[in-house]
Amino acid sequence: MESVTHKATSGPSTRIVSEFADDPDMRDLVAFFAAELPQRASVLAEMAAKNDWAAIRELAHQLKGAAGGYGFPTITEQARQVERMATIAEDVERLRGQIDLLADMCRRVVGPDDSN
Amino acid sequence: MEATILVIDDSADIHRLVANRLKGLDVRILSALDGRSGITLAHQYRPDLVLLDVKMPGLDGFGVIRELKSDAATYNIPVIFLSGEEETQAKVLGFDLGAVDYVTKPFNPSELRARVRAAIKSKKLMDMLTSQAMLDGLTGLHNRRYFDDVLRRQVEQATEMAEPLGLALLDIDRFKMINDQFGHPMGDQILQAVSRVLERACRKQDLVCRFGGEEFAMVLALTTLEETGMIAERLRIAVNQAGAVSALLGHPVTISIGYTAMESNRPDEAECMVQRADDALYLAKTSGRNQCRASAECTGTTATAA
């Protein structure tokens, strides 16, 4: 039940907001997690450029376990996909595509305070 | 239901999330970011529950649970695995290795709370059963099994640290006559009343146990032979003067005490100490009862208390 809003202005950027954005108990925690996600996106891109699939697998594994708990189930889903593909690391071009998608999702997350 | 939970997970995100999701439960949360430091914390704090991540760099969750379960100090701590949802094989292996449950990541908050609560409740019940197995049903004092355990550990520790350790055996005088004359229910009441007096009259750090029948045993940590004699004499007088005891029979009850101690500069053994205290108790009985006697030598020689 992820709320997704389309920006009126430019292209494909859809904002991703936590399911728990309105949960007062979770607000600060979600904000903290969301604020770190762009940094993780950069690391994902960096590791992909180095073909470091072990590091990618590790990062994806952590995102998979945590993101859903912070109210971002679509990121967990995408991270699962990346983790699985990085484990085999066969179709590298497709894997890169999936990593890009994951990194992009991380960048599109907005914290509870910026969601409206 | 105050409880300590140890969370072992390499992801700080998970630690923050678990702490938040367990808010409101009466729990203290300890955190370890890798398996090795998790094991160290488990030893140090003996938590009531471990939430354990499966996949971690270095020592993984399976390695951690193997170590916890193969160590008597941590064997009884329940473990709940935090696992990814598709890791069915991992869940099965986790149960095989002794986990009580698993929670799938990303976890549902109320499910996590429910599983944690259930695991802690079972642990508390188990603790209660374990402690009851160490108690004497009639008197509520610790039983012989517990005494044997504690004495063995205290002797080891006293030997290692070169500290003194006192031991006393106490026996109610003419208890068979009480049973014969007033019946066994009265005998039971006397045992209970004497137990309360002994508990009150000893020091906080002394351990009083029911040794068997009408006999009690007391372990006195960091206590020399002379000090043990003083405490023994205090107990003898306390029982003799206890109104709650004499009121039952219409006359006072007396006890005989044999005691011994392990001196700081000489290694000793639990069995040998019990034997000496028993020898001294025999001497107290044959010398007219209602008195304290000491035995300092393991050879069976006994000496009269000062």
Side-chain angles (χ1 to χ4, degrees):
Chain A
M1 211 190 55
E2 185 171 317
S3 37
V4 175
T5 48
H6 290 273
K7 268 189 182 172
T9 49
S10 64
S13 58
T14 345
R15 300 195 299 170
I16 300 177
V17 179
S18 167
E19 284 178 352
F20 305 130
D22 297 326
D23 179 343
D25 282 344
M26 285 292 287
R27 224 183 144 73
D28 291 350
L29 218 52
V30 169
F32 188 87
F33 183 76
E36 281 192 341
L37 283 176
Q39 166 71 18
R40 293 190 193 207
S42 310
V43 179
L44 277 170
E46 202 181 307
M47 294 303 135
K50 288 186 190 164
N51 293 350
D52 188 346
W53 310 128
I56 292 284
R57 198 174 63 218
E58 188 68 39
L59 288 165
H61 177 76
Q62 295 211 351
L63 274 173
K64 180 188 76 173
Y70 286 88
F72 302 106
T74 54
I75 295 183
T76 281
E77 211 38 63
Q78 184 60 27
R80 172 177 295 123
Q81 176 79 355
V82 170
E83 186 191 13
R84 198 160 46 217
M85 291 179 70
T87 307
I88 312 164
E90 273 177 3
D91 190 343
V92 171
E93 281 325 297
R94 248 193 85 216
L95 173 56
R96 281 188 206 285
Q98 296 298 322
I99 294 170
D100 285 348
L101 212 54
L102 179 60
D104 182 53
M105 288 171 90
C106 289
R107 290 190 195 97
R108 277 155 47 206
V109 162
V110 289
D113 295 326
D114 323 309
S115 56
N116 285 309
Chain B
M1 187 177 67
E2 213 226 10
T4 302
I5 299 178
L6 169 61
V7 183
I8 308 175
D9 196 306
D10 60 321
S11 158
D13 297 324
I14 297 297
H15 285 277
R16 284 190 282 267
L17 203 53
V18 168
N20 185 280
R21 291 315 196 181
L22 297 183
K23 236 191 292 183
L25 293 186
D26 192 6
V27 292
R28 174 171 70 139
I29 298 178
L30 307 169
S31 302
L33 284 163
D34 64 88
R36 190 50 62 197
S37 54
I39 289 172
T40 307
L41 284 179
H43 265 270
Q44 207 173 339
Y45 292 96
R46 307 285 165 87
D48 297 295
L49 175 65
V50 173
L51 294 179
L52 179 57
D53 186 21
V54 177
K55 245 183 179 171
M56 289 184 286
L59 187 66
D60 70 1
F62 299 131
V64 171
I65 196 173
R66 277 197 185 95
E67 286 203 25
L68 293 179
K69 293 298 170 188
S70 62
D71 188 328
T74 51
Y75 176 81
N76 283 324
I77 304 172
V79 174
I80 294 180
F81 268 117
L82 301 171
S83 71
E85 22 187 62
E86 70 276 27
E87 298 161 3
T88 308
Q89 275 310 106
K91 288 171 194 163
V92 173
L93 180 58
F95 279 117
D96 286 346
L97 292 174
V100 295
D101 206 349
Y102 67 85
V103 176
T104 301
K105 284 194 285 189
F107 39 75
N108 173 297
S110 42
E111 181 188 329
L112 175 74
R113 287 170 71 93
R115 289 185 191 273
V116 163
R117 262 210 311 266
I120 290 173
K121 199 171 158 196
S122 306
K123 169 63 164 44
K124 294 286 179 190
L125 281 172
M126 201 59 91
D127 286 352
M128 204 177 77
L129 286 175
T130 310
S131 73
Q132 275 182 357
M134 298 291 180
L135 293 180
D136 172 58
L138 179 68
T139 61
L141 296 176
H142 282 100
N143 61 17
R144 174 66 185 270
R145 196 163 114 198
Y146 187 77
F147 164 80
D148 288 340
D149 255 23
V150 169
L151 183 64
R152 204 191 54 244
R153 269 187 280 132
Q154 295 269 20
V155 166
E156 276 170 22
Q157 196 190 327
T159 305
E160 197 175 310
M161 312 295 288
E163 293 162 351
L165 174 69
L167 171 69
L169 291 180
L170 309 77
D171 192 279
I172 300 177
D173 294 329
R174 303 191 190 281
F175 188 71
K176 190 175 176 306
M177 268 175 55
I178 296 173
N179 268 337
D180 291 347
Q181 201 177 333
F182 298 90
H184 285 275
M186 175 60 85
D188 286 352
Q189 283 189 57
I190 295 293
L191 286 170
Q192 288 168 334
V194 168
S195 300
R196 297 292 84 77
V197 175
L198 295 178
E199 270 182 328
R200 271 202 306 273
C202 73
R203 300 170 304 180
K204 229 190 189 133
Q205 69 267 34
D206 300 330
L207 172 76
V208 181
C209 303
R210 184 165 178 209
F211 195 66
E214 72 276 19
E215 206 167 332
F216 301 89
M218 183 162 61
V219 183
L220 305 95
L222 295 170
T223 308
T224 62
L225 184 70
E226 193 189 348
E227 290 160 348
T228 303
M230 284 160 58
I231 306 281
E233 184 61 11
R234 192 161 95 194
L235 295 192
R236 188 190 65 77
I237 293 169
V239 170
N240 191 230
Q241 295 180 345
V245 182
S246 55
L248 289 167
L249 298 177
H251 61 79
V253 167
T254 63
I255 59 173
S256 298
I257 300 176
Y259 64 92
T260 186
M262 166 178 169
E263 296 301 334
S264 43
N265 54 357
R266 233 177 34 194
D268 209 332
E269 282 180 16
E271 294 77 18
C272 182
M273 287 185 78
V274 172
Q275 184 59 54
R276 289 203 309 270
D278 200 41
D279 290 347
L281 176 60
Y282 179 77
L283 188 67
K285 288 283 186 187
T286 52
S287 310
R289 302 185 179 88
N290 190 22
Q291 56 190 285
C292 303
R293 289 297 183 114
S295 166
E297 294 300 321
C298 204
T299 52
T301 356
T302 47
T304 310

